[in-house]
Amino acid sequence: MDRVSSFDEPLKKLLGGATAKVMAEHLDLHTVGDLLHHYPRRYEERGKLTALADLPLDEHVTVVAQVADARILMFNNGRGKRLEVTLTDGSGRLQLVFFGHGVHKPHKELLPGRQAMFAGKASVFNRKMQLAHPTYQLLDASDADEATEAVDAFAGRLLPIYPACKQLDSWRIAKAVDAVLPSARDAVEPLPASLREGRGFTPLPEALLKVHRPQTKADVEDARARLKWDEAFVLQVALARRRYADTQLPAVARRPVADGLLDAFDAKLPFTLTEGQKKVSKEIFDDLATEHPMHRLLQGEVGSGKTMVALRAMLTVVDAGGQAAMLAPTEVLAQQHHRSITEMMGELAEGGMLGGSDRGTKVVLLTGSMGMAARRQALLDLVTGEAGIVIGTHALIEDKVQFHDLGLVVVDEQHRFGVEQRDALRSKGKQPPHLLVMTATPIPRTVAMTVFGDLETSVLDQLPAGRSPIASHVVPAKDKPHFLSRAWERVREEVGNGHQAYVVCPRIGDDAEEAEGKGGKKAKAKKQAADEDPEKRPPLAVLEIADELRKGALAGLSVEVLHGRMHPDAKDDVMRRFAAGDVDVLVATTVIEVGVNVPNATAMVIMDADRFGVSQLHQLRGRVGRGSAPGLCLLVSEAHEASPARARLSAVAATLDGFELSRIDLEQRREGDVLGQAQSGVRSSLRMLTVIDDEEVIAAAREEAVAVVAADPELEHLPELRTVLAALLDKDREEYLDKG
């Protein structure tokens, strides 16, 4: 078997069809290499019991503990029986529950004093932590042969606890790893020898053996240090190659022109730019003046003035004879940008029109729902070059759309936009256009280096003068219902003072299956589940909450709804009336999350706030306090006070610093989520590296990677590294990086 193919061997051959199927479907493991890179999450020491006090709720957990007590209880007039087993470890207690016919075997085996590994989903019942119907493996079997086997397998060893799933326990995964471990000898070394020796790393085959079957804690440290470096280095080499390839592409340099559109625009600004805006603008102008395409990420706090910076870049390109396109993720946002940019530019946005400035240009909007005549005119303005700036949704990418000379693409809210779309738009230039990607979700430096490593980064962390502070509070609706009543009173007070408010809900409501007469059984089952367990109720919905508020707490106020299923004209109409102050309270989904700018809106109530992510809550909150009056954001939740969800909300309420929140967010979620989202749905390759803790490793690996690629862009002298890159960058990932 050659060196690469043993890692490519399908698991089905070695483990049998049933196990391989579960691994593929539930753990995304398909080959021997995948399983060897499925590292233990942690290790238990034989004889040392797990801290039961620290178990995470609602997660599939594996614990090693001792049986303190076991008893059978009858219920339902003796017709049903339940086995309750109490485990202990000195730090806390945990209850196991078995029902029905499943009680016999554990009743015989789980005797007081016995020690075993247990796996199941941790939940709370009657205020006690419990595992219902866990699987288990005894660590001190009574049968002599079994005892010897168990002792051989576990005594004096660190027990690897693997990321598992309901269908496959950690110890079954450990047995599967035993079957493929001999293949670790065939691991291809990605690190150049000089780097490996210079940093004193363990060889890769040895690191794989040590991580899966360590004899000592030092083995684990050794292996982790090596495997983290591999992940960081290979990913950074991929990104460095992308950056290098981009510098080889030709682009038209777009240099600022004196007394052009930009100067005219700057002269009529009613305020001065912040120092941050000036600094970032200079970085962008310098990039635009070069003859290879700019690839820059502009990240900044909600309201830090990114649109202003992007607009000035677009005006520079128009001055230099090119066109600029701004891509927004939703029609509401595209319309909003078009409105605010034409307002900011005034007569400069009416080039060629009566009353327009002779230095002006045309600013056109292009969305999927436009009427035929308006659409035809917009397309004509683009192909003739009459329109210097176009703002639109993915409708801009369609084949029909042709540009006269596309010089700059600005992508708003990068994480909403697939890389394929960015690529399609870029291909519309005669030469690759410059690219500016904007995000309002502040990204910690390490994530920026890892996810957006093929982009240069600019940061706006200063808010413009005149922005007001926002007070945030958690409203525990379940524990203290009177707090919720007070929240609606506060909304009335804001409206009474001449302001407006948002109410945000996670769901639209009026779902097909919940409508009268449709899927009645499903709706009934949902309702029953919600009655029994409030945690299982569906998230609160815009249509229902708006209806309740009109009839109850906010009766007499003008309450309107906004959501994604509305006709674009209806959406635009509601937004216009809200912006004009004709609507007091807007009940909406997260469609208002980005870009909606109504300075008179001062209050926001977020229902079921625990159902949103940290960065999403921060984004939503940024919609209030945009004028001179202070903002108020109320996070309504029924989550239990001690739950991780409530901890998240408290963190959001405690700080307005988006960069601080993005760190908290990253600590609370797995990197895979963060990277996966930013990488356009491509599965994260990071298994050992934790972006939040390994900043130094990532920074050092980036430096090494840049040096390696500068010396040998095609990696001709590093065939092993090329092989490993090819395996990491499967088709999807390669495309992701190519289109970055």
Side-chain angles (χ1 to χ4, degrees):
M1 197 184 291
D2 72 49
R3 297 182 67 195
V4 190
S5 68
S6 73
F7 265 49
D8 291 339
E9 189 83 32
L11 287 172
K12 197 159 62 179
K13 274 193 175 176
L14 286 154
L15 305 178
T19 306
K21 187 169 186 248
V22 172
M23 286 194 167
E25 285 176 7
H26 297 280
L27 298 169
D28 201 13
L29 305 174
H30 306 271
T31 63
V32 166
D34 289 345
L35 183 52
L36 284 173
H37 289 304
H38 185 70
Y39 306 129
R41 181 174 279 160
R42 58 190 171 82
Y43 303 86
E44 287 297 350
E45 286 179 66
R46 174 83 180 97
K48 181 183 167 210
L49 302 181
T50 321
L52 295 178
D54 301 335
L55 286 186
L57 261 182
D58 290 331
E59 275 190 33
H60 199 79
V61 296
T62 302
V63 297
V64 177
Q66 198 162 18
V67 177
D69 176 48
R71 54 185 141 169
I72 285 193
L73 303 171
M74 299 296 187
F75 61 93
N76 214 352
N77 291 332
R79 286 199 295 278
K81 61 167 71 165
R82 155 172 107 238
L83 172 65
E84 286 186 4
V85 178
T86 307
L87 303 181
T88 180
D89 70 344
S91 79
R93 289 180 161 245
L94 175 66
Q95 196 164 47
L96 311 179
V97 192
F98 300 87
F99 292 101
H101 298 303
V103 305
H104 304 302
K105 187 168 180 260
H107 188 224
K108 276 192 217 149
E109 294 181 336
L110 298 178
L111 304 172
R114 275 286 170 82
Q115 198 183 358
M117 272 203 287
F118 300 90
K121 194 173 179 186
S123 58
V124 169
F125 182 72
N126 277 346
R127 301 199 171 184
K128 282 186 188 162
M129 181 82 90
Q130 73 165 28
L131 301 184
H133 274 289
T135 52
Y136 61 90
Q137 182 178 14
L138 296 172
L139 295 188
D140 47 2
S142 50
D143 177 79
D145 293 343
E146 268 186 52
T148 314
E149 203 177 299
V151 169
D152 284 351
F154 299 108
R157 261 271 185 103
L158 291 168
L159 302 182
I161 305 293
Y162 287 92
C165 61
K166 189 178 167 188
Q167 295 76 5
L168 205 61
D169 303 318
S170 170
W171 52 88
R172 292 207 181 102
I173 295 171
K175 280 183 178 157
V177 170
D178 284 336
V180 301
L181 213 46
S183 298
R185 289 191 303 269
D186 302 331
V188 177
E189 278 284 1
L191 300 186
S194 57
L195 193 161
R196 202 167 66 234
E197 285 150 22
R199 290 185 176 265
F201 285 132
T202 305
L204 183 56
E206 194 184 316
L208 287 169
L209 287 170
K210 280 181 170 179
V211 80
H212 287 292
R213 298 294 173 261
Q215 299 297 321
T216 62
K217 287 180 178 172
D219 283 353
V220 176
E221 290 313 306
D222 259 11
R224 279 175 177 267
R226 167 67 214 255
L227 296 167
K228 277 179 181 181
W229 246 91
D230 281 17
E231 283 176 12
F233 179 72
V234 172
L235 187 57
Q236 291 301 336
V237 167
L239 293 164
R241 289 184 76 194
R242 281 301 325 134
R243 283 196 304 278
Y244 179 83
D246 286 336
T247 62
Q248 306 306 300
L249 289 172
V252 180
R254 311 281 177 175
R255 296 183 180 89
V257 173
D259 290 330
L261 192 51
L262 178 65
D263 285 352
F265 175 75
D266 282 351
K268 67 194 279 297
L269 275 181
F271 51 82
T272 52
L273 298 173
T274 65
E275 285 309 308
Q277 285 174 317
K278 287 178 191 161
K279 178 176 138 291
V280 168
S281 289
K282 184 184 182 309
E283 291 170 353
I284 292 171
F285 292 160
D286 289 350
D287 280 359
L288 289 173
T290 61
E291 291 181 349
H292 60 80
M294 164 172 84
H295 284 90
R296 190 165 282 280
L297 171 71
L298 171 57
Q299 56 163 326
E301 277 292 8
V302 182
S304 57
K306 291 182 298 296
T307 310
M308 173 62 69
V309 169
L311 176 56
R312 293 181 75 242
M314 294 198 284
L315 297 176
T316 302
V317 169
V318 175
D319 274 343
Q323 291 167 296
M326 184 184 239
L327 214 53
T330 64
E331 293 210 352
V332 167
L333 197 49
Q335 286 158 344
Q336 176 97 22
H337 276 316
H338 182 253
R339 230 181 351 256
S340 61
I341 283 173
T342 48
E343 277 166 17
M344 282 195 275
M345 287 176 64
E347 74 281 0
L348 297 173
E350 295 163 3
M353 294 188 232
L354 206 59
S357 162
D358 54 352
R359 281 191 287 186
T361 187
K362 241 185 185 183
V363 178
V364 299
L365 175 69
L366 190 62
T367 63
S369 65
M370 278 168 79
M372 238 8 250
R375 187 179 171 75
R376 200 172 289 130
Q377 184 59 52
L379 290 171
L380 189 64
D381 289 341
L382 284 180
V383 77
T384 59
E386 189 87 3
I389 294 177
V390 58
I391 293 149
T393 54
H394 50 266
L396 277 178
I397 297 161
E398 290 169 11
D399 294 343
K400 291 192 204 72
V401 182
Q402 297 299 320
F403 290 85
H404 177 65
D405 180 12
L406 180 61
L408 170 67
V409 175
V410 178
V411 181
D412 190 19
E413 283 310 309
Q414 137 75 15
H415 66 277
R416 299 294 187 88
F417 234 94
V419 283
E420 292 78 10
Q421 292 129 316
R422 268 167 37 197
D423 194 45
L425 192 57
R426 267 170 50 181
S427 68
K428 291 189 177 291
K430 295 191 173 91
Q431 286 190 326
H434 299 281
L435 176 71
L436 180 66
V437 169
M438 299 198 297
T439 172
T441 308
I443 303 162
R445 175 172 166 260
T446 37
V447 179
M449 279 196 299
T450 309
V451 179
F452 299 105
D454 54 337
L455 302 174
E456 299 300 324
T457 304
S458 294
V459 177
L460 273 177
D461 49 12
Q462 203 182 355
L463 290 187
R467 285 298 299 261
S468 303
I470 305 169
S472 308
H473 303 284
V474 179
V475 177
K478 199 171 178 184
D479 310 342
K480 300 178 179 169
H482 60 284
F483 276 38
L484 184 57
S485 313
R486 176 70 188 120
W488 300 127
E489 279 170 32
R490 284 292 289 112
V491 170
R492 275 190 174 282
E493 286 163 19
E494 290 297 313
V495 173
N497 291 333
H499 298 302
Q500 294 156 279
Y502 297 100
V503 176
V504 183
C505 303
R507 204 167 53 98
I508 296 172
D510 190 23
D511 302 352
E513 69 166 48
E514 288 174 298
E516 284 301 315
K518 289 186 190 170
K521 270 187 193 166
K522 266 191 185 171
K524 236 183 239 171
K526 265 191 180 174
K527 184 177 182 321
Q528 197 175 334
D531 289 345
E532 287 167 20
D533 181 0
E535 299 286 311
K536 289 194 178 134
R537 71 163 170 75
L540 294 171
V542 166
L543 299 176
E544 291 150 23
I545 292 291
D547 206 35
E548 281 174 28
L549 292 175
R550 286 189 192 110
K551 290 174 185 163
L554 302 183
L557 301 186
S558 156
V559 177
E560 294 276 358
V561 300
L562 181 71
H563 58 75
R565 283 213 302 261
M566 289 164 67
H567 187 278
D569 293 347
K571 273 191 244 182
D572 207 35
D573 175 56
V574 170
M575 267 325 297
R576 271 177 199 281
R577 287 189 295 117
F578 188 63
D582 301 336
V583 173
D584 298 324
V585 179
L586 187 63
V587 184
T589 53
T590 52
V591 340
I592 59 147
E593 179 183 350
V594 282
V596 173
N597 186 23
V598 181
N600 191 45
T602 53
M604 175 177 287
V605 180
I606 304 179
M607 308 302 291
D608 273 346
D610 46 280
R611 314 250 181 159
F612 297 98
V614 169
S615 58
Q616 211 173 17
L617 291 169
H618 183 58
Q619 287 279 42
L620 287 165
R621 171 172 61 186
R623 300 301 111 211
V624 295
R626 297 177 82 84
S628 52
L632 172 69
C633 178
L634 301 173
L635 306 166
V636 180
S637 167
E638 289 190 6
H640 194 276
E641 196 169 353
S643 65
R646 273 288 283 281
R648 251 195 348 255
L649 296 183
S650 301
V652 174
T655 177
L656 290 171
D657 179 343
F659 286 91
E660 173 59 24
L661 283 174
S662 66
R663 271 196 91 82
I664 292 169
D665 193 20
L666 194 51
E667 280 164 9
Q668 292 186 343
R669 291 159 54 188
R670 292 192 355 268
E671 277 78 19
D673 301 344
V674 180
L675 299 184
Q677 185 183 27
Q679 291 177 349
S680 166
V682 176
R683 170 164 86 92
S684 163
S685 68
L686 303 190
R687 295 182 170 91
M688 182 62 80
L689 201 67
T690 52
V691 175
I692 202 76
D693 300 325
D694 296 319
E695 190 157 342
E696 281 133 37
V697 175
I698 292 168
R702 183 181 170 115
E703 261 175 53
E704 294 275 13
V706 169
V708 163
V709 171
D712 182 4
E714 293 303 313
L715 308 180
E716 283 171 20
H717 305 295
L718 297 167
E720 290 89 354
L721 178 55
R722 261 207 331 268
T723 302
V724 173
L725 263 180
L728 167 77
L729 301 179
D730 52 34
K731 197 162 168 295
D732 291 341
R733 254 180 109 75
E734 182 74 86
E735 282 174 8
Y736 155 68
L737 288 167
D738 271 347
K739 293 170 182 172

